[in-house]
Amino acid sequence: MASLSEEVLLVVKKVRQRKQDGTLYLMAERIAWGPEGKDRFTVSHLYADIRCQKISPDGKAKVQLQLVLHSGESTTFHFANESTALKDREAAKELLQQLLPKFKKKANKELEEKNRMLQEDPVLFQLYKDLVVSQVISAEEFWANRLGGVTNTDPAQYKYKQEVGISGAFLADIRPQTDGCNGLRYNLTADIIESIFRTYPAVKQKYNENVPHNLTEKEFWTRFFQSHYFHRDRINTGTQDIFSECAKQDEKGLKSMVVQGVKNPLVDLLSLEDKTLDEGYGVCGAQPSTSNSNRTVKESSNYAIIKRFNHHSAMVLAAGSRKGETPTDQASETSSTDGNSRDSDFFQPPVKKVKLQEEYEDLQQENRPKTVPLNLKKSDRYAHGPVPLQSQQYTTSQDIINSVNYIQHEMANYKPNLTQVLSSTVATSAISALSPGGVLMQAGAQQAINQMVPSEVQGELKHLYVAAGELLRHFWSCFPVNTPFLEEKLTGHLEEMLQTAYNKFHIWQTRRMMRKT
Amino acid sequence: MPSGTGKTISLLSLIVAYQRAFPLEVTKLIYCSRTVPEIEKVVEELRKLMEFYSKQTRESNNFLALALSSRRNLCIHPEVSSLRFGKEVDGKCHSLTASYIRAQHHSNPSFPVCQFYEEFDAVGRQVPLPAGIYNLDDLKDFGRRKGWCPYYLARYSILHANIVVYSYHYLLDPKIADLVSKELAKKSVVVFDEAHNIDNVCIDSMSVNITRRTLDHCQNNVDTLHNTIHKIKETDAAKLKEEYRRLVEGLKEANVARETDVYLSNPVLPDEILQEAVPGTIRTAEHFVGFLRRFLEYLKSRLRVQHVIQESAPQFLKDIYDKVCIDRKPLRFCAERLQSLLRTLEITDIADFSAATLISNFATLVSTYSQGFTIIIEPFEDRTPTIANPVLHFSCMDPSIAIKPVFQRFQSVIITSGTLSPLDIYPRILDFHPVTMASFTMTLARTCLCPLIVGRGNDQVALSSKFETREDFAVIRNYGNLLMEMSAIVPDGIVAFFTSYVYMENIVASWYEQGILENIQRNKLIFIETQDAAETSMALEKYQEACENGRGAILLSVARGKVSEGIDFVHHFGRAVIMFGVPYVYTQSRILKARLEYLRDQFQIRENDFLTFDAMRHAAQCVGRAIRGKTDYGLMIFADKRYARADKRGKLPRWIQEHITDGSLNLTVDEAVQLSKHFLRQMAQPFRQEDQLGLSLLTLEQLESEEMLQKIAQVAHQT
């Protein structure tokens, strides 16, 4: 065999590929298949190249496994050993399932990068469609000077996009619906699950511990919604609930937060009083005891709600400000499970000084950079928003009748003075100037052209224009022609490309014309 | 006027100017404030004033101003200052600085003492603190540099400082005042800032509660005393004899304790007692312990009652004489006698003896004052009649008792606060004749506060927290609706106050059930005050963080709680305050009933008047949290239809009352939302210096102009 030095993890015999019997090898870094009796692999894929695996449904006669590559190609293996086909396939699947994620991260970074760029930039995506998909230029050429730009610029700028915080009400968004037969249906989206995990790392931990092995995902969430953990007003009593541990952990987190105390002395209620009364003094010395024994069930459930709300808000806040930490990072997670985000570090003693010395801006001499104040002519308009203009002057019907009468009277007495009118030439020129296309009507005509062309035509034209621009960019980037490669590019296919582009434009033009006529 | 409008600086500059002009007339300014941050703020204001003085006069003035606080805030001893609670710090400090500890250290140098105190004691007294402004941190810095104890340095320095800033407990609580403020000069000016609750502070400092637990502790204390006396008798009988001799000579001498021996001194002992000798019956140590034991047994028997008992101090004294033959006179000396004994026995940990001290203080108080106090014995809490939990309340009903010495001793006393309203009730409950009384409003360049009274829900249900409709779902739902609507339109922080903790718990629970809270969460995060101060501090900090990073938050809090009294919600930390209901005090309490009765009989204040006054000052206090200066702005929403009535509205401070228009008296939720939207948009416009000039900000020329002087005179005469 060609590469015996590789570690072979699994060998499955009697696997057909393209109707040819052979053997499937799963090795440390790749999967390979060789036809029977031959010494080499005809199929060999690095795990890193594989996007996913698919299997045929259980009931089907053919037991198959399909590998889909990042490039879009796929390879299908047919497990042909009648007695053990299913078992063989399962074994291969299981192993792949374990192996693939390991290589996922290594997977084509560039491809991901390109994908991401296309997703984030709609113009680029359109350009890609126009040029590459329609095969004006090849994908490599398209990316050649794009990716250059990408790798040159700081990747960090792209990697860290602004972290989106968590909505405070993500649990409220899970509206339970009755499914008609005494049950409730909760709708979970990936976003909500993500929010739950980020806010309650303990739940995530439970999920990781339990889900593939002990419970299915569905069971896990069902239990979650049934748990005391989700319903905050229930008091945790049972221990068989897998979430009781989460609740305890939360309790611990909350305690540790409380024990840590606050860093801002101005909100520390414990140190607010200078001299507290000693025990036994004071009027309301007999406080209602807060010990649990004296509380009724309702009271302690109320207390639980309040505590949970405080905790929930603190966790949401902390999750929002956990910056740059990948959620999978176990170490950082445990450090932040207590919900104390780093932002509170701002409150340091110097800040206390600043806060104590209240500054009055208006008493300071102005030496800050001047800002341009917003100058509102009608602050009312700003405050109320646009209000439909209403005619303020009403005319009574008597007024109208009077004016009509007046006009009638005027018209009755009108006598044209024909000796003192405009000459006909002046009159016609005035009329032509005022009719559409005339000198005085130009503004109106210009506006019209914008609206005359339908927006889809405009869009298509824009795309063509951008595509042509991109090609021209390629063209001009070849100058000065100082390498044979550039020369070849210029004389060879670039000319061809421009030609294609021109043709494309032409086709579009004629099509448009046809449609119009 | 609310704070942030220059109340403090006006007072300071006026008094300091007077002090400079007549240094012999006004020797000292004693400025009392409520919380530690407030004290520190005052000192910072003062620093600015002094800087301005030296800039204008081009000479450094020799004013000494300093802040004094408890050991917890001033200690620099590495071990002691790491302790978290004030009591622990005090106890630990005492165990390192008491006179006999130091004497022992003298003979045996390995005995631990506080080197900072030693250093201060050795050299600190000779050189007075150099002139300047010392905040708490400055004192600590100075102490570290010199190696002196800042706390004792400050306590020593207040005697010759020109300006002292401290908490008003140091002046009002007789137990502390006796120690700290005893020797302050008569020609001082005393300012009580944030004094709207001063009557409660007075009452608190004079009231005592005794539970069965206290008595058990006290029993242990007495046993310890007994054993210690036995031991000492065997080893060092001379010591006890010496004490006896001293007691014969009179308390006057016994009272000259060294300053470090921090025994809580007795509550307001009339001076003549100090001249007398301790009565013979309790002069020897054994007799006194026996006496205490008897008193204790008597109290225990009183706590075994099955029904509520209320009696006056003379009744109590008669009963104790009848039952266990304890006379009034020895009872009066009880507190003093116990301290003397504790000193003699060299007991280090006074914190352990807090129960015995409490009992002896009670004995002294009950035998000293025949008026103004009441004794209530409750066998159980009202809410849990089956669980026996007997409490003896010895409750002060007359705040004037505690404040009287202050009025008598100092030449001028100024009582001020942002929410001192109505003014005329304070002289009545504190029993003094004011020389001058004035209430000022604010001059605003724009109306930066918007009080709205929401009396109805959108469905016309009357909103009220009154007892009958408390549990009404319609009211609760409408309250929730109001908060929800507000959370959608108000930027950044909203603070909502409830009338009591139990009420808030119930409302939050039913909002949770109805899904209102979830809807609010869509707009803002929710934080809730709890009964635990540490937990609440955390929630508060998170609340501020959420306001800071733009997410916006709601703080649900309780009137009369810690948050409502001490925390400011400046600018975006509180753009709206919602007051759910009228924060009446829990009227079923017997102590309150007794006090109301007393007020009616002694001061002719009707019960309802006082209750409304009390509720409204707390409402104003809550609502005033949002406005901290003229550049700040905020909505004030009173969600109860009762606020619209003239008797409630009229008791709000003038600066709030002025802005309540007739149109905003009985709004529905929707109307309130519309008005708020309009207000918030207007307030969000840039606010520049030019807008204020001539109105709320004056140039020197404007200030000196004839017209303005007339205007000022006019405003001053109005009040």
Side-chain angles (χ1 to χ4, degrees), chain A residues 165-173 175 230-233 254 257-290 294-295 298-299 301-303 305-307 309-314 316-318 320-321 339-344 347 352-353 355-366 370 373-374 376 379-380 382-385, chain B residues 4-6 34-37 39-41 44-45 47-48 68-70 72-73 84-85 87 90 135 137-138 167 169-170 173 175-176 203-205 207-209 213 264 357-358 361 381 383 387 391 393 501 504-506 508-509 512-513 517-519 521-522 525-542 544-546 548-549 551 562-563 566-567 591 628 630-631 678 681 685-686 688-689 692 697:
Chain A
I166 296 172
S167 155
F170 65 84
L171 285 177
D173 291 333
R175 287 251 157 259
F230 179 66
H231 296 279
R232 307 163 193 219
D233 51 344
L254 197 66
M257 267 193 274
V258 169
V259 168
Q260 271 177 15
V262 290
K263 297 192 180 82
N264 181 357
L266 294 188
V267 298
D268 191 357
L269 294 170
L270 288 173
S271 65
L272 216 54
E273 288 282 323
D274 187 27
K275 181 82 192 177
T276 47
L277 289 166
D278 286 315
E279 200 184 345
Y281 297 95
V283 169
C284 31
Q287 290 263 330
S289 50
T290 46
N294 266 353
R295 288 178 158 259
K298 184 161 168 35
E299 273 172 345
S301 100
N302 289 353
Y303 181 65
I305 292 175
I306 286 176
K307 254 178 113 169
F309 264 101
N310 277 341
H311 183 249
H312 174 80
S313 299
V316 167
L317 199 61
S321 50
N340 248 343
S341 58
R342 284 93 191 264
D343 274 10
S344 44
F347 298 117
K352 173 184 165 193
K353 263 270 147 56
K355 289 201 170 170
L356 285 176
Q357 291 174 335
E358 276 179 70
E359 296 288 338
Y360 296 100
E361 283 164 23
D362 46 345
L363 296 180
Q364 304 295 312
Q365 293 299 327
E366 199 130 0
K370 282 258 181 202
L374 179 64
L376 290 176
S379 57
D380 258 20
Y382 176 79
H384 295 296
Chain B
T5 45
R34 200 175 37 175
T35 62
V36 179
I39 289 168
E40 289 186 279
K41 271 184 197 164
E44 292 307 319
E45 296 269 333
R47 193 193 303 279
K48 266 191 210 149
L68 174 64
S69 181
S70 58
R72 197 173 83 106
N73 296 318
R84 212 170 158 192
F85 295 102
K87 225 189 218 171
D90 288 352
N135 213 335
D137 287 336
D138 304 321
S167 155
H169 287 108
Y170 286 99
D173 191 337
K175 303 185 283 294
I176 318 170
I203 282 179
D204 274 346
S205 62
S207 299
V208 176
N209 300 296
R213 236 181 72 221
L264 294 176
T357 322
L358 182 76
N361 276 341
E381 275 176 46
R383 282 161 66 226
I387 303 164
V391 187
H393 301 284
Y501 197 81
M504 178 173 82
E505 266 189 351
N506 285 337
V508 165
Y512 172 73
E513 275 158 26
L517 282 184
E518 292 183 344
N519 285 326
Q521 274 183 321
R522 283 178 210 279
L525 292 178
I526 299 173
F527 294 96
I528 306 170
E529 179 178 355
T530 65
Q531 274 166 329
D532 181 283
E535 243 176 81
T536 310
S537 308
M538 191 221 48
L540 252 176
E541 195 182 51
K542 297 280 170 211
Q544 294 204 340
E545 201 181 313
E548 199 75 73
N549 72 13
R551 197 182 254 280
K562 283 219 161 86
V563 173
I567 305 291
I591 302 173
R628 306 273 102 176
K630 56 184 178 176
T631 51
H678 183 71
R681 279 212 199 94
Q685 304 313 309
R688 280 158 302 143
Q689 207 177 23
Q692 303 185 42
L697 188 68

Side-chain angles (χ1 to χ4, degrees), chain A residues 31-183:
Chain A
I31 183 168
W33 179 85
E36 210 160 324
K38 292 235 171 94
D39 227 8
R40 54 187 179 79
F41 300 130
T42 49
V43 178
S44 165
H45 298 303
L46 289 175
Y47 291 131
D49 288 339
I50 299 171
R51 192 198 290 160
C52 64
Q53 57 166 336
K54 292 177 178 169
I55 54 169
S56 55
D58 281 347
K60 259 201 158 172
K62 276 185 177 174
V63 182
Q64 286 178 321
L65 181 104
Q66 188 184 39
L67 299 177
V68 183
L69 305 186
H70 286 299
S71 54
E73 298 166 38
S74 65
T75 316
T76 312
F77 299 107
H78 175 202
F79 293 82
N81 195 344
E82 283 118 35
S83 53
T84 60
L86 214 60
K87 228 173 74 192
D88 286 347
R89 207 261 317 263
E90 285 304 305
K93 190 197 89 180
E94 287 284 319
L95 192 59
L96 274 175
Q97 210 166 32
Q98 289 169 26
L99 288 169
L100 285 181
K102 282 191 207 162
F103 290 91
K104 264 264 160 64
K105 279 179 201 155
K106 283 196 205 159
N108 201 337
K109 275 266 166 64
E110 220 172 68
L111 202 72
E112 267 177 28
E113 184 69 4
K114 286 174 188 169
N115 230 334
R116 195 187 53 73
M117 279 176 74
L118 286 182
Q119 269 170 10
E120 285 180 0
D121 190 349
V123 178
L124 193 72
F125 184 55
Q126 187 60 45
L127 203 60
Y128 186 83
K129 274 207 305 208
D130 285 345
L131 292 177
V132 181
V133 178
S134 61
Q135 294 180 337
V136 177
I137 60 173
S138 67
E140 288 96 79
E141 258 176 301
F142 179 78
W143 287 114
N145 46 16
R146 294 260 158 211
L147 273 183
V150 171
T151 39
N152 281 345
T153 53
D154 190 7
Q157 179 185 334
Y158 288 92
K159 216 180 273 170
Y160 299 112
K161 20 180 217 173
Q162 194 179 5
E163 187 105 351
V164 181
I166 296 172
S167 155
F170 65 84
L171 285 177
D173 291 333
I174 320 168
R175 287 251 157 259
Q177 296 163 333
T178 44
D179 60 358
C181 48
N182 262 342

